Structure formats: structure tokens, C-alpha cells
């Protein structure tokens, strides 16, 4: 059963000192007490954290600096928050403290046409970034399926990915440089504004995916690529999950590069059906593939990959000819996580990655875990990257020990297959107890020392990534 980690709690007097200093410095941009919405205690992981003593609704860089200075001086924990759509509790306060919300910092958005880059403020919505650059013939590929909700700062913090990562990579591949505000409020620019550059350590890569534990992000400079001329979306039905997994392996082996290869198992196929997708009778698994490039290139790839899927056992191959059909398919896919939530009162969605040749073994293991632990399981996700969202669903607290067992076994199997615990959602609170399962003690220790350099007092987003000292590797050590 998940419980918040043991972290340093601030004293009552430190909290009231921080509250009064924040109110004095930031006025109406600070909320305290009953003004604070319960939303600031949680995110899309569903974990309920500690109630904040203050929420700073930052509008300017000075607001960020002031909040970080006061947090450092009073030694009250502070948790950065962007869109709040994270899946592993990155924005959930594990300790009593301040929430620093950057959603209101959504300007500037500046496109440099000559350089093919974009400077965005931390609270810029991903959907707004997509629309702006695409209207100018540019493309920013990362899309973690929550573009209407998520903001760039959260995407950077979690190294968000999504279906198009198969061809185009994750957020980290597009961040050229960024402003970072350190504990205490110091502002630094890390990285570069040019397309190329190798000066000094790659601090940008360290900050991207740091899950709000090293600094708070300001403006981000993103690399853009030319927008592909055409897109072609294809849905392949399989009567056996094993055939779909085999098809993924073959597409990869044949060196095709669709921009997405999404897998949906039998239960998620039902969700697609319920939302109006026409799927062949007897379908047990689907592959949703998408190609981009010139029209001729899309058609050529779709034909060859379609044939390859048929050879692997596909019973039906359909192309979404109309933009409307394509939109409907993706809308349903994007809503999958929320749609499957309706199957039970509770769910946990993992994002493990295995080598693509091991996809079938992972899918079989998920079914086996469902049988052994007698819980509802399903999986779907970015099969082209070997990245599956394995979901466990349950209704009563009585089932919790079985859910814990299934999660632990899933992680052990993932590591045994040569995989990794998180492809895109991060470690956050949920997976922190398992870090030692994948990473050696000296590597975890090196990362702790990096964390100490950025945040010597351990008050920036405590309790994330690292196993809690009081409860090290509760499930993890192997
Ligand atoms: C998705 C999110 C949950 O792939 O990562 O839908
Ligand atoms: Zn995903």
C-alpha cells in the first residue's frame, strides 16, 4: 500500500514565518488556509500529499526567486508545479510546505524562424506550442497525450514522451537551453540557444527529467524540426496478442520508421470499440501505426508495413483516410488512461520499458500476474519503444497487498528482461522505493550527491526519486 515517504517536516514557527514573509512579498499571488484548493495536494497520479501551508501563483521570474529565497531562508520545503498532469506524484507535496505554481507564467512564446527554435515560458500549454509552431510549418514532436493540460515546465521536469517518441525521441531531445532557478533564488541559463553546442557539462540533460528536485524552470528554448508534409494513420487488427507483438518486432527489424507504433490489448480494444472505433470481429490486439513524410513516402511505408503485419498474422488492416477518422482514433487513444480508470475504483498505471524482442514475454507476464494475484490487468502503449502502460485495477483495500505483489513482480520481471522502470512518467513518489532494483548503490549515491549540490538542505521537492532513508528499498533490493 502506498504511503508518503518519511521526509523532513518544517517546524510550526518556520511555516508561519514563511507564510508571513510570502504574503508580505507577494500579496495576492499567495494563497493560504482555506483559499488553497485541494488540487494542490495531488496530481494525475491520484496520490494525496500534504496540505500546503501556502501556494504561490507565480506570474514573474521575481515571484519564483522570492518564493525560493523564502523557502531556503525559513527551511520550509517547496514543490514546483506546472500543469499538474504528472503520473507519479512529482507535483504532490510529500512534506508540509509551499507549492510554487508556474501555470500563470505563460508568456513569452517567441519563435525564431531563422534558427528553427522557440522560447517558451514555463506555464505554456503544450497544445498552444503545437498549434503555434505547426501554423508556421514547424514541428515540436513530443506529445505525452495530455497536450491540453500539461505545460512545458512539467514536460521538461518529467522528460515527457508519448507515441511519437518512437521516431522523434523525448522532450530531452528538443531542449536546447533553459533558465533554471536554484534553491535560494539564483537564476542560471544552462545550455545554448544555437542548434549545436558542446560547451561544458550537459547540465540541460541533467535538469530534463530531474522531476522538480534540482531547480525550478523558467523560459525554455526548444528545437523545432520541419513539419512533415503528410500523415497516414493505420490500424492493424490481430486475433492473437502474440501476433501483434511479433509484428512490432518485425517492423523494427525491417528498419521502418513509423512515427508511432502503439499497442492495445484486448481490454483496451474494447474501449476503442466503445468510443466508436470500428474494429474487426475477433480482434484481440491492435497496432495503431502512423507514418509521416511526403504523401508517396507515407503510402509506400503503409503498404509495406501493412503487408508485414499481415505476414505476422494481422486479420484486418485499415487506413484512416479522412482527417476526421484519424482525429477520432487519436482522441480515443489519448483518453485511454482516463477511460480505463472507469473500470474500477482504483488503478495504477506503470510505464515500464523492455527490449522490443521481450514485449510478448512482458505481455504474458502481465496476464500471469493478473491470474496469480486475481486482479484486473490491462496493457497498452508505445510498443515501438518497448514501453507499455501496464495497469492494475482494484476496488477494495483488501486487494491492496495483491496489487503491491503484482507491481513488485512486474518490476522484477522488467529488470530481469533488461528493461527499465520508467519510460516517460518518471520515478516520483510511486517508484522511489524501487530505484535500487534498477540502479546500483554507488549510482544512486552519486545522484544523491548531485541532489545535495543543488539543494543541500533537501527542501526542494523532498521525497521524490530516492528511496526514503527511513524505508530504503522496501520492495526493491535484489
Ligand atoms: C499515455 C500516457 C498515459 O500514453 O502516457 O496515454
Ligand atoms: Zn504513454
Amino acid at each position: 500500500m502506498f504511503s508518503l515517504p518519511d521526509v523532513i517536516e518544517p517546524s510550526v514557527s518556520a511555516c508561519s514565518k514563511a507564510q508571513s514573509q510570502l504574503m508580505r512579498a507577494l500579496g495576492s499571488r499567495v494563497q493560504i488556509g482555506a483559499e488553497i484548493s485541494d488540487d494542490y495536494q495531488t496530481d494525475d497520479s491520484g496520490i494525496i500529499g500534504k496540505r500546503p501551508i501556502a501556494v504561490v501563483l507565480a506570474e514573474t521570474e521575481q515571484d519564483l526567486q522570492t518564493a525560493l529565497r523564502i523557502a531556503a531562508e525559513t527551511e520550509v520545503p517547496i514543490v514546483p508545479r506546472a500543469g499538474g498532469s504528472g503520473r507519479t506524484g512529482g507535483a504532490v507535496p510529500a512534506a508540509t510546505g509551499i507549492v510554487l505554481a508556474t501555470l500563470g507564467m505563460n508568456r513569452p512564446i517567441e519563435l525564431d524562424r531563422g534558427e528553427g527554435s522557440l522560447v517558451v515560458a514555463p506555464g505554456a500549454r503544450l497544445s498552444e506550442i503545437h498549434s503555434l509552431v505547426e501554423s508556421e510549418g514547424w514541428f515540436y514532436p513530443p506529445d505525452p497525450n495530455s497536450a491540453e493540460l500539461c505545460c512545458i515546465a512539467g514536460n521538461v521536469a518529467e522528460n515527457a514522451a508519448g507515441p511519437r517518441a518512437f521516431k522523434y525521441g523525448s522532450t530531452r531531445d528538443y531542449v536546447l537551453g533553459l533558465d533554471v532557478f536554484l534553491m535560494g533564488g539564483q537564476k542560471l541559463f544552462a545550455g545554448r540557444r544555437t542548434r549545436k553546442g558542446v560547451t561544458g557539462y550537459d547540465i540541460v540533460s541533467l535538469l530534463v527529467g530531474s522531476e522538480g528536485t534540482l531547480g525550478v524552470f523558467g523560459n525554455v528554448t526548444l528545437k523545432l524540426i520541419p513539419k512533415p508534409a503528410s500523415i497516414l494513420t493505420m490500424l492493424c487488427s490481430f486475433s492473437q496478442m502474440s501476433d501483434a507483438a511479433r509484428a512490432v518486432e518485425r517492423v523494427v527489424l525491417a528498419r521502418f520508421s513509423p512515427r508511432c507504433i502503439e499497442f492495445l490489448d484486448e481490454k483496451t480494444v474494447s474501449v476503442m470499440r466503445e468510443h466508436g472505433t470500428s474494429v474487426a470481429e475477433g480482434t484481440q490486439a491492435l497496432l495503431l501505426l502512423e507514418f509521416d513524410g511526403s504523401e508517396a513516402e507515407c503510402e509506400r511505408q503503409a503498404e509495406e508495413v501493412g503487408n508485414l503485419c499481415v505476414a505476422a498474422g494481422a486479420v484486418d488492416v485499415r487506413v484512416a483516410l479522412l482527417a476526421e477518422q484519424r482525429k477520432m482514433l487519436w482522441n480515443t487513444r489519448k483518453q485511454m488512461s482516463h477511460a480505463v480508470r472507469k473500470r474500477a475504483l482504483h488503478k495504477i498505471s506503470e510505464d515500464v520499458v523492455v527490449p522490443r524482442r521481450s514485449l510478448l514475454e512482458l505481455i504474458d507476464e502481465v496476464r500471469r500476474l493478473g491470474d496469480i494475484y486475481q486482479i484486473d490487468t490491462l496493457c497498452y502503449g508505445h510498443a515501438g519503444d518497448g514501453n507499455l502502460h501496464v495497469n492494475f485495477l482494484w476496488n477494495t483495500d483488501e486487494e491492496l497487498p495483491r496489487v503491491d505483489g503484482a507491481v513488485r513482480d512486474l518490476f522484477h520481471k522488467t529488470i530481469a528482461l533488461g528493461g527499465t522502470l520508467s519510460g516517460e512518467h518518471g520515478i516520483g513518489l510511486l517508484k522511489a522505493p524501487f530505484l535500487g532494483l534498477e540502479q546500483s548503490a554507488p549510482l544512486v549515491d552519486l545522484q544523491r550527491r548531485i541532489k545535495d549540490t543543488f539543494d543541500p538542505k533537501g527542501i526542494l521537492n523532498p521525497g521524490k526519486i530516492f528511496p526514503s532513508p527511513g524505508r530504503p528499498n522496501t520492495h526493491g533490493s535484489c
Side-chain angles (χ1 to χ4, degrees), residues 9-21 24 53 70 73-77 96:
E9 279 289 317
S11 68
V12 175
S13 70
C15 289
S16 55
K17 202 161 139 196
Q19 279 173 324
S20 52
Q21 289 189 15
R24 205 172 319 125
I53 57 143
I70 293 173
E73 282 169 9
T74 56
E75 299 190 16
V76 170
T96 304

Side-chain angles (χ1 to χ4, degrees), residues 87 144-145 333 337 380 382 389 424-425:
R87 295 299 173 99
N145 278 344
R333 169 61 188 88
S337 175
Y380 64 94
H382 321 299
H389 295 307
E424 51 179 19
H425 294 171

Side-chain angles (χ1 to χ4, degrees), residues 256-302:
F256 284 105
S257 57
R259 66 181 189 178
C260 321
I261 312 182
E262 294 284 298
F263 167 85
L264 295 127
D265 76 354
E266 193 188 352
K267 290 176 190 164
T268 45
V269 168
S270 309
V271 176
M272 297 294 281
R273 272 207 182 93
E274 283 156 23
H275 287 76
T277 308
S278 149
V279 176
E281 198 63 20
T283 299
Q284 297 278 326
L286 282 173
L287 290 184
L288 173 59
L289 297 117
E290 192 161 82
F291 307 89
D292 64 7
S294 69
E295 205 171 316
E297 180 60 11
C298 288
E299 279 170 12
R300 183 192 66 80
Q301 285 214 46

